[in-house]
Amino acid sequence: MAGSRHLRWTYMDGVLVREMAESDIDAVAAVRVRGWQKAYTGLMPQTYLDGLSVEEDAERRREFFSRGLGDVVNLVAEGDTGEVVGWSCFGPYRDRDLPPGDAELYALYVHPSLLGTGIGRALLDETRRRSAERGFPRLRLWVLEGNARARRFYERAGFVTDGGAETYKVEGAAVPEV
């Protein structure tokens, strides 16, 4: 849709969701790293979480931006003063066990001090809208099995588990996803 890259979408008082710009990278890295450190405490080794660096994450995001994003869409939520307070990222579903055609929510994080304020819902709603606009019939995601808060959030938004499960290792510790 021509011009949609600059469309600002209002979800609730003071929250705007828009496509991420390169100038948002540092703020997104801070939201992402602080989000991991809050959400995954007790689910991943604490030494790993403590070692996460906003600066290193920002550098990786700069590399992604410099290579081009392809089919990946990054959205940010702005607070009432224009600061980035949330981030989501989606694109084509990556699991080769299912037929192609669905979208995948790769990430959704809100600044930990603003959890429960509707920012995550605004990002999810706009992610759904934009993925449907791109012709994806479904939006899928993976969530850490033990992340009860995130699972409740997604279940309230209408997501259901499909029985898929996968475990990966972080510093030798098993981290199961559903």
Side-chain angles (χ1 to χ4, degrees):
M1 169 183 215
S4 66
R5 290 186 54 95
H6 303 292
L7 180 68
R8 294 181 85 137
W9 181 75
T10 303
Y11 178 75
M12 60 187 311
D13 293 337
V15 179
L16 298 171
V17 177
R18 61 171 173 79
E19 282 199 32
M20 180 180 163
E22 192 168 359
S23 60
D24 297 319
I25 288 174
D26 290 326
V28 165
V31 166
R32 184 178 177 283
V33 167
R34 300 301 173 243
W36 269 65
Q37 290 170 329
K38 171 78 174 175
Y40 303 144
T41 294
L43 302 175
M44 290 185 180
Q46 193 61 44
T47 54
Y48 176 79
L49 295 173
D50 291 344
L52 294 175
S53 162
V54 171
E55 294 76 19
E56 289 174 12
D57 190 77
E59 191 54 39
R60 279 192 298 278
R61 295 226 171 276
R62 280 187 191 81
E63 288 176 31
F64 294 148
F65 261 76
S66 71
R67 290 192 309 253
L69 299 174
D71 293 334
V72 175
V73 177
N74 287 270
L75 301 173
V76 294
E78 290 183 3
D80 55 3
T81 60
E83 77 281 11
V84 171
V85 294
W87 167 70
S88 70
C89 179
F90 76 94
Y93 192 63
R94 299 172 289 183
D95 190 337
R96 298 194 196 289
D97 293 339
L98 296 174
D102 291 340
E104 180 178 351
L105 176 61
Y106 304 137
L108 190 153
Y109 293 96
V110 172
H111 191 282
S113 68
L114 298 169
L115 292 173
T117 63
I119 294 165
R121 186 55 182 237
L123 281 165
L124 182 58
D125 287 350
E126 185 67 356
T127 296
R128 282 179 152 162
R129 187 187 75 72
R130 289 183 185 226
S131 68
E133 186 179 80
R134 285 168 173 73
F136 293 111
R138 280 174 296 281
L139 180 63
R140 298 178 177 271
L141 64 98
W142 288 92
V143 63
L144 292 189
E145 185 176 48
N147 190 343
R149 181 184 193 112
R151 290 183 72 174
R152 279 191 311 273
F153 170 80
Y154 292 118
E155 287 166 5
R156 275 184 263 157
F159 287 84
V160 294
T161 60
D162 64 4
E166 190 173 289
T167 299
Y168 65 97
K169 299 274 187 186
V170 175
E171 292 188 347
V175 180
E177 289 185 307
V178 295

